[in-house]
Amino acid sequence: MADVHLKNVKKNYGVVEVIHGIDLEVKDHEFVVFVGPSGCGKSTLLRMIAGLETTNSGSIHIGDRDVTDMAPVDRNVSMVFQSYALYPHMTVEDNMGFGLKANGVDPAEVKRLVDEAAQSLQLEAFMKRKPAALSGGQRQRVAIGRAIVRDPEVFLFDEPLSNLDAELRVHMRIEIARLHKRLKSTMIYVTHDQVEAMTLADKIVVLQGGRIEQVGTPLDLFDDPDNRFVAGFIGSPKMNFLPAIVAGIAADGVTVTLPSMNDTPVRTAVPGDHVETGQTVTLGVRPEHFTFRKGTGSPITVDCDVTEQMGEISYIYANTGDGAQIIVEQRHDRSTKDGDRVQTFIPPDKTFLFDAEGRRIR
Amino acid sequence: MNRRLYVPLMTLVLLFFTFPIIFMAMVSLKGQADISTGDIFPNVLYWRNYPDAFGSIALDRYLLNSAIVASFGALLTLVIAVPATHAIVRYRIGRNWLPAFILGTYVAPPIVALFPLFFLLRNLGLVNTHLGMILVYGVMNLPVAFWLLSSFVRRLPVELEEAARVDGVGYFRTLRSIVIPLLMPGIASTGIICLILAYNEFLFASFLARSQDTQTVPIGLSLFQGDRQLRFGQMAVASLAAMVPVYVLAVFFQRWLVRGLTTGIGK
Amino acid sequence: MPQTLKRRAPGRFRPSGRVIARLTTTPLIVGLGVFAIYPFIYLLGLAFTESNLIEPFQKWVGTENFQDALGDPRFVGSLGRSVLLAFLSTATAMVLGVAVALLLDKAVKARDLIRTLILLPLLTPPVTAAIMWQLLLMPQGGWLNGFLMDLSLISEPVSFLGTPTTAFLSVLLVDVWQWSPFVALMSFAALQTLPSEVYEAAKLEVRSSWTVFRWITLPMLFPALIGIAVLKLVIGFKLFDLVFVLTAGGPGQATTISSFYIYRIGIQQFDIGLAAAMTLLFAIVVGLATVPFTVAHDKAEDRLS
């Protein structure tokens, strides 16, 4: 059990720097998820912690040990790979026990640890099988079992669910959450799926272009994103972003107009301390925050292009004047048809404003 | 493996594989007295071996014969093997027995075919002709060509051919306009390998090529064995001349060669 | 290695396509029939008759040729030498080739150059390879003798090709020189197909690279290696030209392998009937020697899937 500290960690391939000085603290017992679009460096960062990639500068500590230049095997970490990376020629039993045996652990003890892990993962029936004879979910459980038996200080997961089908993915997600509850060990988990990040994490690290965009609890990131990237990345469907111009600054917040919608005014609860009238900003509204009751916010009128009926809710895809699309979620009302003109309201306290650089205006 | 061991070990390996070649190149530049010293490098450069070697045996003629029979032989192999391999892989012609038969024929040592083919070619009047050797080489490499090509064919997405069929494109048109262009890297690799195999071949050539008009380079070289005391320098020159065409191919087509050779590995 | 051909090709075509497809395989089947089936039948005919190069099938002699062949201690000896040489060179080339492949796997710089250099012995015409090594091995002016004398390992030049044991080992050495690059390139390609994440998983668990090689790499590579070994074994039995030029079968019978002996019987004694009987016996030996390994190969492939 240990915490993990990254201090100004950098990685480059030749002249190309891919990780630009990352500082991060992962506390003992914490479940941290690295999330970001592909190529953001999340897997590289994880592999640096594992020791599978060298760290060019900065330092990595696990507990009180500096592991920056240690071989992977000395770091006392376990990793679960996207492709499971099971040894194809070994039975399930041997797969889980290989690391222990190779490091000279007494065979009887190996057997006991492997059986224990197998039991907790319901793998007892498959112990004599080879990976090729297992389903994807079973292979994934073996990979997890192999990680468990070594009783590492830190568990690393590299997109472990992305090879599974949707149903199994949900199932395994819950199993991993349960595992964390039971083992209470430090886990670092990489995914590009923000739903996995939201549901599993104690703390999410959003990465982009080899830099940390924001670190926080899932709800922090959802309710209080630092910038437009995080606001857009967390939440599904994505937050709507509309170009806006600051029209008025009042005590209870800024009012903006939307050039793409005939300068419709929209009131926000964003304080006006850091903006000036006429400034170009971006208005952010989540699809689920639109309302349909008069008086709840600023009215806007949109032309419904396509509607998606999801049952309880429906999504209205509407075009704005400049060709961009906005998505509006509608609950308990299935009446909207393609081509309808719909009036909807934006509650001031559910709005976000971002400056030209994408920074949140607070 | 220890990283520090890599450089010395790799050097040793490369030396083992290239030293005989280097040594022979050095011998080609040595006079007779120099050769008997056993030194690696010549003490005096003796260029005369070069014109002498070409003067004492008909090297240019051997090279020409080799070029003719090897390239047309390889071409014949491809002409037969490409459509057939495609058909066998895609249409499963001959189920399992045909591929097994084709590869099985490769197991028999060439000495098996030597005398029967000699009699056959003699009856056809093709002994000591380029055509006879082209036919032998064209057929000899069919199992190799089939083996190499079939993994290339298997890797082509069948959907492309199906799309052509749906569009009503005929069999040979599909082969010519879709399969062969996409198969080109595989065809090239296979062609080069068959070319080299035919070029290096000795047993059939020694039996079927009876005069200078048809004798290939390996046969020409073996004739040096007649008097072995005096002509090591010239022998080295002739051997170098024999290797150069193949080595040039190796340098230019290294990737294709390696890809061709190793194509059956991994599925 | 030869791929399993049992797999069903995806997609089905119209019957008319099948008919044309079958037709296009005809030249291949006919060609191989002439090259592989016809010779066996013809050899049978030759083997049971008195035949020479001028006139085959002179008169029926029954099994006389076979009896002569099996009664010829030189021929029986050559069979043993063929088998011994094929297996020894396969084993040696496998060990050396796999080692080189592992080394090649570590190469970061100049990979293409290294690969080209390693490829050269394989591409060298065997006749030329024999000449090269003759130059290295000869007693006067051969580099090896000078080298060993400089190291004081020998006091006077050794005639490597003129002494039975060293002549046999020389043939083995040159064959290994030519064919271990083949094994190396094939094994290297097989290494590249192994999943890299499995190695990474092993790196997290195990310190010693020998343990990784012994328990992870080698077992995963095993089916491919068997395939490569079978191929090398088959190729080993095709050996002819190297012996022809390097030692001409000598000294005595020390390097006389069957294909060379049969060739001599046919071309020097003109006894094609006897040569045919010997060829058939040799073919049977080759079959017996290689078939168990092809079976082992299929088994090894099944084991992993």
Side-chain angles (χ1 to χ4, degrees):
Chain A
M1 302 303 124
D3 45 2
V4 179
H5 282 266
L6 308 186
K7 279 194 208 107
N8 196 22
V9 162
K10 285 183 188 173
K11 167 92 191 163
N12 55 277
Y13 295 109
V15 291
V16 185
E17 194 169 83
V18 291
I19 300 287
H20 310 281
I22 282 186
D23 291 293
L24 182 69
E25 191 181 339
V26 177
K27 295 202 185 72
D28 200 5
H29 309 322
E30 204 169 31
F31 198 120
V32 171
V33 174
F34 294 173
V35 72
S38 62
C40 70
K42 55 191 189 296
S43 277
T44 307
L45 195 58
L46 188 81
R47 292 164 57 81
M48 287 162 74
I49 297 171
L52 296 173
E53 299 279 354
T54 54
T55 301
N56 295 107
S57 79
S59 71
I60 301 174
H61 285 259
I62 296 177
D64 45 17
R65 295 180 304 141
D66 183 347
V67 302
T68 317
D69 297 314
M70 271 189 195
V73 62
D74 296 320
R75 298 186 180 205
N76 201 13
V77 298
S78 281
M79 185 150 163
V80 176
F81 294 83
Q82 180 175 356
S83 66
Y84 322 129
L86 299 177
Y87 308 126
H89 56 291
M90 294 186 192
T91 60
V92 167
E93 198 172 14
D94 292 338
N95 256 288
M96 296 207 281
F98 174 70
L100 295 175
K101 275 186 208 154
N103 287 302
V105 177
D106 173 55
E109 175 69 0
V110 173
K111 175 115 179 60
R112 194 184 64 77
L113 289 167
V114 168
D115 285 346
E116 198 180 289
Q119 198 187 5
S120 71
L121 291 161
Q122 289 125 50
L123 283 169
E124 300 109 308
F126 311 113
M127 295 305 267
K128 298 290 178 206
R129 286 207 202 163
K130 294 217 176 125
L134 301 178
S135 70
Q138 288 161 349
R139 286 180 210 179
Q140 189 55 273
R141 289 215 294 276
V142 176
I144 292 172
R146 183 171 67 181
I148 293 175
V149 292
R150 295 182 52 230
D151 189 25
E153 290 185 289
V154 182
F155 282 91
L156 305 174
F157 294 88
D158 190 4
E159 308 220 20
L161 306 185
S162 49
N163 282 1
L164 301 176
D165 62 39
E167 196 181 334
L168 207 51
R169 203 177 306 163
V170 176
H171 179 78
M172 286 305 295
R173 202 168 75 201
I174 294 164
E175 229 172 275
I176 289 174
R178 204 175 280 144
L179 186 75
H180 180 238
K181 229 175 221 161
R182 185 162 63 81
L183 298 175
K184 295 196 173 52
S185 39
T186 312
M187 294 187 174
I188 304 177
Y189 186 106
V190 163
T191 181
H192 62 269
D193 178 353
Q194 53 107 4
V195 177
E196 271 174 38
M198 294 293 283
T199 50
L200 285 170
D202 296 322
K203 188 158 93 187
I204 294 180
V205 178
V206 182
L207 289 149
Q208 191 204 6
R211 289 194 173 80
I212 292 182
E213 291 286 340
Q214 191 173 357
V215 179
T217 66
L219 292 180
D220 274 349
L221 299 190
F222 187 81
D223 294 337
D224 196 13
D226 279 348
N227 51 53
R228 187 177 154 165
F229 178 79
V230 174
F233 196 80
I234 303 289
S236 173
K238 268 176 75 148
M239 183 184 281
N240 296 298
F241 295 110
L242 298 164
I245 290 166
V246 177
I249 303 172
D252 60 348
V254 173
T255 299
V256 297
T257 56
L258 305 176
S260 59
M261 292 183 170
N262 299 321
D263 294 328
T264 311
V266 175
R267 281 193 304 114
T268 74
V270 178
D273 309 341
H274 300 106
V275 290
E276 46 198 65
T277 312
Q279 186 182 339
T280 305
V281 295
T282 302
L283 172 70
V285 187
R286 292 195 187 278
E288 58 268 41
H289 289 154
F290 289 98
T291 63
F292 289 87
R293 260 203 348 264
K294 272 209 170 59
T296 50
S298 319
I300 62 167
T301 305
V302 295
D303 290 318
C304 170
D305 186 18
V306 178
T307 59
E308 278 183 349
Q309 299 291 344
M310 312 290 286
E312 186 65 18
I313 58 176
S314 54
Y315 294 113
I316 298 170
Y317 291 81
N319 290 324
T320 64
D322 59 355
Q325 204 170 41
I326 69 170
I327 308 173
V328 177
E329 183 185 306
Q330 203 172 12
R331 285 179 183 273
H332 316 300
D333 183 353
R334 302 175 178 179
S335 60
T336 310
K337 299 277 177 303
D338 297 357
D340 286 358
R341 175 160 290 192
V342 182
Q343 192 177 46
T344 180
F345 304 91
I346 303 175
D349 58 334
K350 299 291 190 187
T351 57
F352 300 91
L353 287 184
F354 304 96
D355 67 14
E357 277 76 49
R359 284 187 301 258
R360 172 93 176 278
I361 300 169
R362 288 184 163 114
Chain B
M1 191 190 311
N2 196 322
R3 264 254 49 115
R4 267 171 307 166
L5 283 176
Y6 167 75
V7 173
L9 282 177
M10 188 52 109
T11 312
L12 209 64
V13 163
L14 292 181
L15 218 54
F16 173 63
F17 286 133
T18 55
F19 183 66
I21 303 168
I22 296 167
F23 188 74
M24 189 170 78
M26 292 301 137
V27 170
S28 79
L29 295 171
K30 289 178 190 171
Q32 193 54 45
D34 216 351
I35 287 173
S36 49
T37 62
D39 294 343
I40 295 174
F41 297 103
N43 297 309
V44 185
L45 288 181
Y46 187 78
W47 295 101
R48 282 254 307 281
N49 287 329
Y50 281 76
D52 286 357
F54 278 84
S56 63
I57 61 167
L59 252 182
D60 42 355
R61 180 70 216 194
Y62 296 138
L63 283 165
L64 178 69
N65 289 335
S66 278
I68 291 172
V69 297
S71 49
F72 283 101
L75 198 65
L76 178 62
T77 305
L78 289 179
V79 168
I80 298 176
V82 171
T85 306
H86 172 255
I88 290 169
V89 171
R90 281 288 189 251
Y91 291 86
R92 294 193 30 79
I93 302 297
R95 302 286 150 193
N96 296 327
W97 69 263
L98 188 52
F101 163 70
I102 296 170
L103 297 176
T105 60
Y106 184 70
V107 177
I111 188 87
V112 168
L114 185 68
F115 301 117
L117 281 184
F118 170 76
F119 287 113
L120 181 68
L121 290 174
R122 199 180 59 179
N123 290 342
L124 296 171
L126 291 176
V127 169
N128 203 22
T129 62
H130 286 145
L131 180 60
M133 294 176 76
I134 290 168
L135 287 174
V136 170
Y137 289 156
V139 175
M140 174 183 82
N141 289 326
L142 282 176
V144 177
F146 169 75
W147 180 50
L148 298 177
L149 285 169
S150 59
S151 47
F152 283 105
V153 173
R154 220 170 273 124
R155 253 173 259 164
L156 285 189
V158 70
E159 289 79 6
L160 291 170
E161 290 163 59
E162 286 173 335
R165 305 245 114 188
V166 170
D167 291 343
V169 182
Y171 187 94
F172 289 107
R173 188 64 209 266
T174 308
L175 198 63
R176 187 161 52 102
S177 308
I178 294 172
V179 177
I180 290 178
L182 290 170
L183 216 53
M184 225 43 219
I187 294 176
S189 304
T190 308
I192 294 169
I193 289 168
C194 291
L195 186 77
I196 292 173
L197 285 173
Y199 182 90
N200 290 353
E201 205 282 333
F202 180 80
L203 181 63
F204 290 115
S206 75
F207 219 66
L208 300 175
R210 293 305 176 90
S211 73
Q212 232 177 56
D213 297 338
T214 50
Q215 280 167 338
T216 54
V217 174
I219 307 306
L221 288 178
S222 73
L223 297 179
F224 261 112
Q225 297 298 303
D227 51 347
R228 46 172 76 189
Q229 313 91 314
L230 286 173
R231 302 197 289 167
F232 288 122
Q234 291 179 34
M235 202 156 99
V237 171
S239 299
L240 283 176
M243 283 161 20
V244 164
V246 189
Y247 286 10
V248 167
L249 282 180
V251 170
F252 280 100
F253 299 107
Q254 187 259 132
R255 278 168 186 283
W256 283 4
L257 265 173
V258 171
R259 186 148 37 132
L261 281 171
T262 56
T263 178
I265 295 287
K267 6 195 129 166
Chain C
M1 82 217 78
Q3 306 222 349
T4 42
L5 295 146
K6 287 163 225 152
R7 202 175 305 158
R8 180 167 287 277
R12 282 175 180 282
F13 293 127
R14 301 184 301 203
S16 70
R18 276 196 70 82
V19 173
I20 305 174
R22 189 168 287 138
L23 283 176
T24 63
T25 62
T26 316
L28 180 102
I29 295 171
V30 170
L32 285 177
V34 171
F35 199 80
I37 306 268
Y38 150 80
F40 271 106
I41 298 167
Y42 201 91
L43 280 178
L44 273 174
L46 289 174
F48 287 101
T49 56
E50 192 178 306
S51 298
N52 63 31
L53 273 180
I54 313 296
E55 197 190 349
F57 312 123
Q58 290 168 8
K59 68 169 200 273
W60 179 264
V61 295
T63 57
E64 199 180 290
N65 284 323
F66 288 96
Q67 286 165 13
D68 287 354
L70 290 172
D72 180 354
R74 291 178 168 195
F75 173 65
V76 176
S78 79
L79 284 178
R81 253 171 255 121
S82 283
V83 173
L84 187 65
L85 194 61
F87 276 94
L88 278 181
S89 89
T90 300
T92 319
M94 286 305 291
V95 172
L96 187 62
V98 171
V100 171
L102 291 172
L103 211 53
L104 202 53
D105 200 34
K106 294 266 181 275
V108 244
K109 276 184 251 169
R111 250 193 194 198
D112 276 1
L113 176 67
I114 292 173
R115 265 201 323 199
T116 307
L117 289 177
I118 289 178
L119 202 58
L120 293 183
L122 179 61
L123 302 179
T124 305
V127 171
T128 316
I131 291 173
M132 277 177 197
W133 282 91
Q134 234 173 31
L135 295 175
L136 284 173
L137 296 171
M138 53 188 187
Q140 265 84 48
W143 170 81
L144 188 61
N145 268 305
F147 181 68
L148 292 178
M149 276 163 74
D150 286 348
L151 293 180
S152 307
L153 287 173
I154 53 174
S155 52
E156 54 189 65
V158 176
S159 177
F160 292 107
L161 298 173
T163 316
T165 313
T166 50
F168 186 82
L169 290 177
S170 299
V171 172
L172 178 67
L173 171 69
V174 183
D175 192 55
V176 167
W177 179 78
Q178 282 220 281
W179 287 100
S180 48
F182 174 75
V183 175
L185 292 172
M186 300 281 268
S187 311
F188 178 68
L191 265 180
Q192 304 307 300
T193 66
L194 301 184
S196 61
E197 285 199 335
V198 171
Y199 279 102
E200 295 181 337
K203 261 195 203 170
L204 287 168
E205 296 199 307
V206 186
R207 183 168 291 104
S208 132
S209 49
W210 169 252
T211 309
V212 174
F213 176 74
R214 169 66 188 82
W215 295 102
I216 309 288
T217 314
L218 201 53
M220 287 203 292
L221 215 52
F222 194 67
L225 290 185
I226 298 265
I228 297 165
V230 171
L231 206 51
K232 169 66 192 90
L233 190 66
V234 166
I235 291 168
F237 279 111
K238 292 178 186 281
L239 188 69
F240 177 81
D241 25 15
L242 188 59
V243 168
F244 187 98
V245 176
L246 193 65
T247 62
Q253 299 290 309
T255 56
T256 301
I257 52 172
S258 293
S259 46
F260 186 71
Y261 191 66
I262 295 167
Y263 182 85
R264 276 221 307 233
I265 294 285
I267 209 167
Q268 287 171 0
Q269 302 181 13
F270 302 110
D271 193 344
I272 298 294
L274 180 60
M278 288 175 171
T279 306
L280 288 172
L281 292 169
F282 179 46
I284 290 170
V285 169
V286 172
L288 289 177
T290 46
V291 164
F293 290 89
T294 41
V295 174
H297 175 225
D298 290 347
K299 281 224 179 94
E301 283 212 317
D302 290 346
R303 232 164 44 94
L304 257 193
S305 52

